[in-house]
Amino acid sequence: MNWLWVILGAIGGALLLQQSGGLLLGAILGGMASRLSRSRRSELAFEKRLRGLEQRLARLEHEDAAADAIKPAEAASVAPAAEPAPPLATVAAIPPAEEPAASLPRPAHSPTPSKSAPTYADPAWPREPNPWISRLLSGNLLAKAGVVLLFFGAASGLKMAADYGLFPPSVRLLLAALAGGALIAFGHNRARQSVQQAFGFAVQGGGFALLYLSLYFAFARYGYLDATLAFAGFALLGVSCALLAMRQNSEALAWLGLAGAFFAPALASSGGNQYRILFGHFLLLDLFIVAISSRTGWRSLNLLGFFLTTLFGLAWALARYETAFRADIEAFLLAFFVLYTLAPALLAHYRQPASRSWLDGTLLFGVPAVAAMVQGALGYERDYLALTALLAGLYYLGLAALTRASDNPVLPRAFVALAITCLTVAIPLYFGAQVTAVFWALEGAAVLAFGLSRQRPLALLAGAAIQGLAALRLLDAHAWHDTTTPFLNDFFPGALALALAGGYSAWRLQRHAHPLLLQGIALGWAALWWLLAGWNEASAQLPSGQEYGAVLLWMSAGAVALEALAARLDWARGRYAALALWPVTLLALLAATGDSGHPLAHWMALALPLAFGAGYWMLHRQQAAGLNDWLHARHLALFWMLMLAAVLEAGWQAERLAPATPLWAPVAILAVLCLGLLGLRQLQQRTIWPAAGLDALYDRVAPAPLAAGLALGVALLNLNFSGRWSLPYLPLLNPLDLISLVALACLWQRLNASSWRQYSGHIGLAGWSGLGLLWLTALWARIAHHFLNVAFNGAALQHSALFQAGVSLLWTAAAIAAMLLGSRRQLRQTWFAGVGLLGIVGLKLLFLDLGQASLATRTATLLGMGGLILIAGYFAPAPPKNQAA
């Protein structure tokens, strides 16, 4: 890509639109021009190669004709004695002669070339020099320089004669006209001779320039001619120059004559402001130029007229433009625009051979750029500018339709691109941000779809860029939190259109098998704008804290609609994109909890259950359809999110119902975790979806966080709560002990499963045993607190000899129970665990209990423990080593 086109386009777009989208839109236009130039260069290279092959074919046919002209008798006398034909194997062994890759097949009668005949290779294609430099340096340079100097000298002489009154005006003009006619006649005579052809063309061009100069002086300076006769004279000179140049096939002659005609007003200017005459003169010249180039294929004449008209027109505007001239300048600008936009179409209509692609490209993209710049500088209202842009877009569409059947395939595409650009610019000039964003979003989706169907990467990028411009236009409007009318404000329609355009673009990308990354970007773009549309409506129309549920309802509706539509279209990536509901659900859940204390606050009481229902509905449909990408992750995320919402809501509800009893909140949380584990167990045993077919997932992975949370909750509950509640405390018959027992039972059921035993082994059993021992110890602490008046805190319990003695007896009983169980069941690890616990009790007695207890307490403790150990040693001997643990 020629980045100069992109840079110039960006600058022009910024100056034209004077808003955020102008820079990017101009860069797109420049990129289109660069791509057009590149494709035209490829076509020219192909045509050049084809001409070379045609020349080679003609040369080969000429050689064949010369060989056929040899007399048979002479050929027989010269030919050597005939040799016997070699055997077939010998002939097959002879390697074939190497031929050029691009060689053409010889005719059937072509003789085989002898060894002495020269071999022909493909001609090398040297790099052509710049055509402008070649044209400048070709021909008679001295003649060209002399003609130019002669022209400027004659103009200066006429002006000097007028200033000093040397000759009457009529004599001056007559002498200049006679000199011009003489130069034309002399040059035409010299051009007939091939040796002096270039000299003759140069002299004729100078003669026509002098005639233009004389006629302009007679009309504009001295008033010898009225406007009708003057323009008739200009037309006659232009037609004469064009006919003479066409008859002699001299593009250089046309250049010299027409360039002199453009410079004539500047050289003959008297300081007045006769702009109508000036621009009428330019318009007439431009008509001549387009007519000549259309018939001859001299594209450089179009470029000459375009640049000189623009140059002199802008020079006049900077010096002498006034607001009163606006209507006249507008009319000339329209004629200039139509004329030079028709020039490439006329060349294609007359099937002129292609030339350097940048010649047509300069007119295609330079003319609308200049016209737009001048139109904007004239100071019209935005509505009028929008109308002109709309008409220009429709005009370019008409040109695209007219040139669709031409030999130049690039031309209709360029007209379509220009039509899209003009229509795109017209929208923000007339409408506000809301309508502009809607139109640009839909237009961007349509252009992207067109680029995909025609396999045009540049159109694809343009469609994506137009959607980006729509987003920028919407964000620049500062329409956030518009509280005017729900769904009919300045933000919602544009955001909704961007979401729909992004989704449609993603679907078209999937249909044309584009990379998944591009599809993902388009789907993410669509989901983002769908979310922003709902969020802005909810935050603008609802009180603070109530918008989370409304947004979640909006996202749930969009996800359900996308799942249904994508399933109907057999669009797998679209169905996966519907899962964007889940992160939004998590964010809404956490935001509502942080704002109101619980997930089901306000609208969330309706939205959250519907969101989970929609999530499981989509998951079931997609799994049944075989969409199993990230299947385990989707199941886990949805289940864990459901459990998180249930835990947060249960804790808040328990705390609200019994604010004076802090015990109920953790009890409710542990109850929800237990129900979650039991529910998973039932789903597995009854093979009910979603656990059906995913046994390993719902047996090992899904309950793991629940089990961990349950174990941690039991530990924290027993360490921090004394069991006080609204009724008197009764051991085991209170919410704390009951939920602890239920939690331990649920954990034992999960740990005792074969899949968990395989992975957790004895570590899980040891952890559960430690948690059970913690609950027993806390139970004894609560008994001591409620019935023995021991404060329920660490310091009081540590210094209570009665509590410590009870702990020692309790742990000893637990150790003996473990030893008995291990001995009876032949479980050596269990038996040794009991022995280890006895050891811990012994150390506790030596270093903690006996130091602070009374003599009676120490005596009773030692006797009790000793008796228990003796009983354990008698009834629970160590299991043999050869038994399983």
Side-chain angles (χ1 to χ4, degrees), residues 1 165 313:
M1 178 182 290

Side-chain angles (χ1 to χ4, degrees), residues 662-663 666 712-723 736 778 782 792:
L663 177 64
L712 181 63
V714 169
L716 294 176
L717 183 66
N718 282 274
L719 289 174
N720 292 282
F721 288 90
S722 63
L736 192 153
R782 288 189 289 274
F792 193 82

